[in-house]
Amino acid sequence: MREWWIHVGLICIPLVAVYLHIPPPQLSPALQKWHGAGKVFHFRGWKIFYRDSLGALGSSDVIILLHGFPTSSYDWSKIWDPLTQRFHRVIALDFLGFGFSDKPRPHKYSIFEQASVVEALVAHLGLSNQRVNLLSHDYGDTVALELLYRSDQNRTGRLTLNSLCLSNGGLFPETHHPRLLQMLLKDSSFLAPILTRLTNFVIFQKGIGEVFGPYTQPTDAEFWDMWTGLRYNDGNLVLDSILQYINQRLKHRERWVGVLTSTYVPLHMIYGPLDPVNPHPQFIRLYQKLVQRSTVTILDEHISHYPQLEDPTGFLNAYFNFIHSF
């Protein structure tokens, strides 16, 4: 009997230690460089990390990059330098709860608040009267649609949009297929606090790897950088709160899909067709049916959910062709 309790204790002690706290990993040299090149501004008392690079001389064009879930502005690192050769200013931020930004808890994260974060950053940088180009991915697509809605509705503090390019975002609840862990985290008030603490690098790597193509998998170092960005400021502990965006997409479908179908802002979609979250051909067929003013680029068949990382050259070519078309 005593041996049985010893075995239970040996199992429980490390589990309790894991549950209470695991120190976050150290920043790699690449992440240190990205972090060191950024700045912070304050939004309602929270620190928001952003990058703002001056680029092409003779151009006044501004581009703002909106990243996806559960990663960060570092998702744009592979196309950052080429963008600075085309645009006068290239700006990206880590949304509240992501990357190097603050990750308050408990907190009711929302797409509406993230849109307000972007508007506040634009005001902070003195660009409120500047026409801006939005380039977004995944979660950032929905934030972009809220910004588009506010712009088209002429709301106070709105952005003046020159163009919007979306990529592999779950725009339509009916064609969106979240991963199992995402479903458990967003819908289980009992399991979520446990799962967020017990999620580790191995689980994370497997989940992220499933949304990359078989020939475009991140390197071990890239997987680790994604995990490090998530763990920074205990970001794993707010995943369940952030994931309420999936429910918000369903609740506010008419608002966000409605503006997508009615706007006159130039639109483009860059799509990796191997995406298991927004599968081909259902997603792109519905997009082309509903958003008839938009142009579309479908990348090579082996490109999946993170096209800017899996095929940065193809992604850039598609984007520049769009920008030069109007």
Side-chain angles (χ1 to χ4, degrees), residues 96-97 103-104 107-111 113-114 238 241-242 248:
L96 186 69
K103 299 169 179 177
H107 184 74
K108 291 185 177 181
Y109 291 88
S110 77
I111 294 297
E113 182 177 57
Q114 304 289 19
V238 301
S241 300
I242 291 175
Q248 292 164 23

Side-chain angles (χ1 to χ4, degrees), residues 303-314:
I303 304 302
S304 187
H305 185 66
Y306 274 84
Q308 76 275 38
L309 292 175
E310 298 179 64
D311 184 12
T313 300

Side-chain angles (χ1 to χ4, degrees), residues 51-236:
R51 290 280 311 267
D52 178 14
S53 292
L54 291 176
L57 297 175
S59 170
S60 61
D61 294 343
V62 175
I63 184 171
I64 300 175
L65 312 175
L66 307 178
H67 68 80
F69 174 93
T71 41
S72 69
S73 60
Y74 192 62
D75 290 351
W76 305 108
S77 59
K78 289 187 177 182
I79 64 172
W80 190 265
D81 288 344
L83 288 175
T84 63
Q85 295 170 22
R86 166 60 180 80
F87 291 91
H88 174 58
R89 289 178 79 168
V90 181
I91 299 163
L93 75 157
D94 289 346
F95 291 123
L96 186 69
F98 293 79
F100 295 125
S101 291
D102 280 350
K103 299 169 179 177
R105 57 183 173 91
H107 184 74
K108 291 185 177 181
Y109 291 88
S110 77
I111 294 297
F112 299 101
E113 182 177 57
Q114 304 289 19
S116 295
V117 170
V118 178
E119 290 177 337
L121 173 59
V122 169
H124 172 76
L125 296 175
L127 297 173
S128 296
N129 297 319
Q130 172 78 43
R131 297 182 68 84
V132 300
N133 302 280
L134 291 183
L135 174 57
S136 60
H137 171 244
D138 183 66
Y139 180 90
D141 282 5
T142 308
V143 178
L145 293 186
E146 173 58 21
L147 291 166
L148 179 63
Y149 179 86
R150 296 180 186 187
S151 178
D152 278 13
Q153 293 293 313
N154 208 25
R155 296 285 184 89
T156 301
R158 73 193 187 285
L159 304 188
T160 303
L161 297 184
N162 189 55
S163 71
L164 170 58
C165 181
L166 308 158
S167 58
N168 284 79
L171 307 176
F172 313 115
E174 57 268 41
T175 62
H176 183 235
H177 297 269
R179 314 312 288 164
L180 176 60
L181 183 58
Q182 291 180 324
M183 298 297 291
L184 290 173
L185 287 173
K186 82 176 183 68
D187 291 331
S188 177
S189 58
F190 171 72
L191 284 176
I194 300 172
L195 292 174
T196 55
R197 289 183 179 273
L198 295 182
T199 297
N200 56 34
F201 174 71
V202 174
I203 295 172
F204 173 82
Q205 183 181 33
K206 183 179 184 300
I208 289 290
E210 289 174 351
V211 299
F212 278 76
Y215 309 115
T216 55
Q217 289 286 301
T219 65
D220 289 344
E222 289 169 343
F223 273 125
W224 194 252
D225 283 342
M226 292 179 189
W227 174 243
T228 301
L230 174 64
R231 283 297 321 278
Y232 192 88
N233 284 340
D234 291 328
N236 55 305

